Amino acid sequence: MLSIKQSPLRPPGPKTPWFGLPLLREMRRDYLGFMQRTHEAHGDIAYMRHGPEHAYDLFSPELMREALVDNAEHFIRWERGIEVFAEAFGQSVLVTEGDTWKQQRRMLTPVFSARHIAGYGALMTKAAERSLNDAVPTHESSALVDIEALMACVTMEVIMRVLFSSSAQNDARDAATATQILSASAISDMYWPFSVPTWMPWPGNTKKRWGFRTLRGLVNRHIDERKRGTTPDASTDDLLAILLAARDEHDPTRGLSDTELRDQCMVLFQAGHETSATALVWWARLVAEDGDVSRKIKRELDEVLQGREPTVADAPRLDYLQATIKEAMRLYPPVAALMSRRAVRDVRIGEWTIPRGALVRIAPWVAHHDARWFPDPESFRPERFVASAESPPRGAWMPFGAGPRVCIGQHFAMLEMTLIAAMLMQRYVLSVDSQQSLRPAGMLNVTLRPSGGMRLRLYRRASVNDAAAPSD
Ligand code: HEM
């Protein structure tokens, strides 16, 4: 940690007896609630101390962008968070800093260009089709479906097809469990100052070892098969093919080393399915609860698609559907708090100087629920995001982060979610079967999970005239 220079003037913030350790306990129990209360009590920037750390929380769009965009080069990500992520993702683009990160980001950016993403579209719909068709057993007209499991399965199938031209069928269950174990253990590790090596006997380490073995095994197997040329039906458009061919534009002789290739595949696999799955879970629940929204989506789908499967070219014409997804990510941003940043020199943010060595924290959740930017913030109102609506101030809606480290997969994710949501709505009417709370789990995970899971009843469209089915 950098040594901190004391600043005489600091923004207001909560009192921090016992070196602020009770605050840490409160944050661990209910991070988002804590951030919201801090904002209400102290305004758009708050200062607090816990242990040796001096932390500044930024809540307004301007201040968040000043840190993430205008002063990005004066911050690094919080070392402990990076250390924990490095355990799973090695030295990949999510983890590295400085020149190494710049070079990796440069090499990966074309992989997510509009041209390549257009190629992934067909792989996405092909992948989603089977899992969505099977969500309700063929002989049934409806089923109570575990939406978290369904979305995890669909998005995993998508990322497996797009990355490796392969189906997740045989690996899906283990890979989903491994992802959940590793996400939960990553967050809990972040509250400790160091990680106990995974080979040591320690609570949770057996599960963690299994999780790493499962995911690394899956990624390594696919890369090895591709290199041996034994992948049947390998698409020349899939992500692995593009990564293998990727060259640094500043040094065209430089491709990804074997280790880099494995690390990038691990990160794209994990980051590429868990976040989109989480967004779709909240979206499905919000749509299930709102008959008007549901009918408007269906009308748009009928007009634009006339019963056929959606394609990449259709996505921009599904304006209302995309607005429902954006609004769902406003209310329930999958990454509700960004990785904390540390100032590597004194940085001026608003009227305050954040001293070198201090931490800056940004939780998009708070701005997303701020009535100044989103009137009646707790209501689900997709109209806020339709093309003709006035945009919220820049930075008020930030589900993908901002600045140079903005999500590299944001356009991929928007396309994927649009195609999956369209295909789900073409097949089923979504309905809330029993009252389950729409509350996120108190202890923050890597992504924002619903407390107590989420089940919805899915009625086949062909059977919506059944007396039991809700009208659509
Ligand atoms: C709804 C879906 C998604 C959401 C909400 C999301 C959100 C985010 C956010 C907020 C960040 C920045 C974190 C920070 O600044 O601390 C990020 C970074 C990243 N995301 Fe996503 N993401 C999504 C989908 C994806 C997909 C589909 C991929 C890849 C296939 C992906 C790959 C990455 C990578 C590699 C980074 C690190 C970029 C860097 O540090 O340069 N994400 N994501």
Side-chain angles (χ1 to χ4, degrees):
M1 196 194 309
L2 298 171
S3 68
I4 195 144
K5 200 172 74 192
Q6 296 296 325
S7 162
L9 288 174
R10 292 198 179 114
K15 292 213 164 30
T16 53
W18 299 101
F19 302 104
L21 294 180
L23 294 182
L24 273 185
R25 239 197 348 261
E26 205 182 327
M27 283 161 70
R28 192 186 162 114
R29 205 180 52 237
D30 175 17
Y31 189 84
L32 299 176
F34 175 80
M35 286 297 163
Q36 227 156 0
R37 289 189 291 280
T38 304
H39 179 222
E40 278 156 24
H42 305 289
D44 283 337
I45 179 165
Y47 165 81
M48 69 191 76
R49 175 140 193 215
H50 27 77
E53 296 286 12
H54 297 253
Y56 292 74
D57 291 299
L58 310 182
F59 298 114
S60 76
E62 306 93 276
L63 296 181
M64 294 192 297
R65 281 184 60 84
E66 273 184 45
L68 292 174
V69 184
D70 307 339
N71 287 290
E73 77 270 33
H74 304 139
F75 290 100
I76 52 170
R77 271 100 36 81
W78 176 49
E79 303 83 346
R80 177 70 189 134
I82 290 309
E83 203 173 278
V84 168
F85 276 153
E87 252 192 299
F89 304 126
Q91 291 304 304
S92 66
V93 68
L94 183 73
V95 169
T96 50
E97 294 282 350
D99 288 344
T100 312
W101 169 76
K102 275 192 193 139
Q103 191 200 32
Q104 291 182 344
R105 180 96 190 189
R106 230 174 22 236
M107 284 178 75
L108 285 184
T109 300
V111 173
F112 292 96
S113 66
R115 180 171 67 89
H116 283 313
I117 289 182
Y120 308 144
L123 296 169
M124 288 174 179
T125 43
K126 188 169 164 199
E129 195 178 4
R130 176 146 166 210
S131 320
L132 291 178
N133 285 347
D134 293 350
V136 173
T138 9
H139 54 280
E140 305 283 356
S141 59
S142 81
L144 193 58
V145 174
D146 176 344
I147 287 292
E148 281 192 281
L150 175 66
M151 294 309 184
C153 172
V154 179
T155 55
M156 188 173 303
E157 193 62 35
V158 167
I159 198 71
M160 287 292 288
R161 288 252 176 218
V162 174
L163 251 179
F164 302 128
S165 296
S166 164
S167 165
Q169 295 289 320
N170 300 329
D171 301 306
R173 186 184 299 238
D174 280 355
T177 314
T179 302
Q180 273 172 15
I181 290 173
L182 295 180
S183 289
S185 89
I187 287 294
S188 121
D189 283 358
M190 282 184 200
Y191 284 91
W192 292 89
F194 57 88
S195 296
V196 177
T198 36
W199 53 264
M200 279 179 69
W202 190 259
N205 263 0
T206 312
K207 277 201 243 154
K208 210 163 137 182
R209 271 198 304 273
W210 176 84
F212 281 136
R213 221 176 28 245
T214 305
L215 290 191
R216 285 188 192 133
L218 180 147
V219 165
N220 288 344
R221 197 175 73 237
H222 284 286
I223 295 179
D224 292 344
E225 280 173 11
R226 181 68 59 93
K227 288 195 158 175
R228 284 200 306 270
T230 52
T231 318
D233 310 327
S235 160
T236 48
D237 274 343
D238 73 13
L239 248 163
L240 180 56
I242 295 165
L243 284 175
L244 282 165
R247 291 290 172 273
D248 184 352
E249 62 187 27
H250 291 190
D251 174 9
T253 59
R254 161 106 169 76
L256 292 170
S257 70
D258 277 3
T259 316
E260 282 174 329
L261 185 67
R262 283 167 212 279
D263 290 347
Q264 309 298 0
C265 282
M266 272 293 276
V267 103
L268 295 179
F269 175 77
Q270 189 105 338
H273 84 273
E274 204 191 349
T275 41
S276 311
T278 305
L280 285 166
V281 165
W282 294 107
W283 168 85
R285 166 60 193 256
L286 289 162
V287 168
E289 218 163 38
D290 193 321
D292 276 350
V293 168
S294 178
R295 274 186 292 278
K296 279 191 198 159
I297 295 176
K298 183 63 173 40
R299 209 173 309 134
E300 183 181 70
L301 290 173
D302 289 346
E303 270 167 34
V304 175
L305 304 177
Q306 313 217 335
R308 60 179 172 75
E309 294 286 22
T311 65
V312 175
D314 297 315
R317 295 165 63 211
L318 298 172
D319 178 43
Y320 187 74
L321 176 64
Q322 295 208 344
T324 62
I325 296 170
K326 289 179 183 165
E327 173 69 344
M329 284 201 289
R330 178 189 70 79
L331 278 166
Y332 300 99
V335 180
L338 304 186
M339 179 79 77
S340 305
R341 279 24 184 196
R342 190 179 298 287
V344 292
R345 49 165 260 190
D346 289 0
V347 188
R348 189 95 185 143
I349 299 285
E351 59 190 83
W352 304 98
T353 298
I354 299 204
R356 172 175 180 268
L359 278 183
V360 161
R361 290 184 301 223
I362 292 179
W365 168 275
V366 177
H368 286 198
H369 291 259
D370 188 327
R372 288 176 295 174
W373 330 121
F374 301 102
D376 192 9
E378 299 314 315
S379 298
F380 178 52
R381 284 201 212 151
E383 281 67 22
R384 302 181 208 266
F385 290 101
V386 294
S388 55
E390 198 183 318
S391 304
R394 267 189 111 183
W397 184 76
M398 205 189 264
F400 296 108
R405 298 212 76 132
V406 68
C407 175
I408 202 169
Q410 61 176 320
H411 302 299
F412 177 109
M414 272 314 292
L415 175 67
E416 173 188 22
M417 293 186 293
T418 306
L419 296 177
I420 295 174
M423 291 169 77
L424 183 75
M425 292 297 284
Q426 282 179 311
R427 285 164 175 72
Y428 304 107
V429 177
L430 280 49
S431 158
V432 180
D433 202 64
S434 60
Q435 269 318 313
Q436 281 174 306
S437 85
L438 247 173
R439 229 168 9 92
M443 186 173 160
L444 207 55
N445 224 309
V446 173
T447 60
L448 190 74
R449 321 295 306 190
S451 156
M454 193 164 297
R455 289 173 169 272
L456 294 178
R457 184 160 289 278
L458 266 48
Y459 292 88
R460 271 186 203 291
R461 284 280 171 193
S463 72
V464 291
N465 292 329
D466 290 358
S471 62
D472 175 52

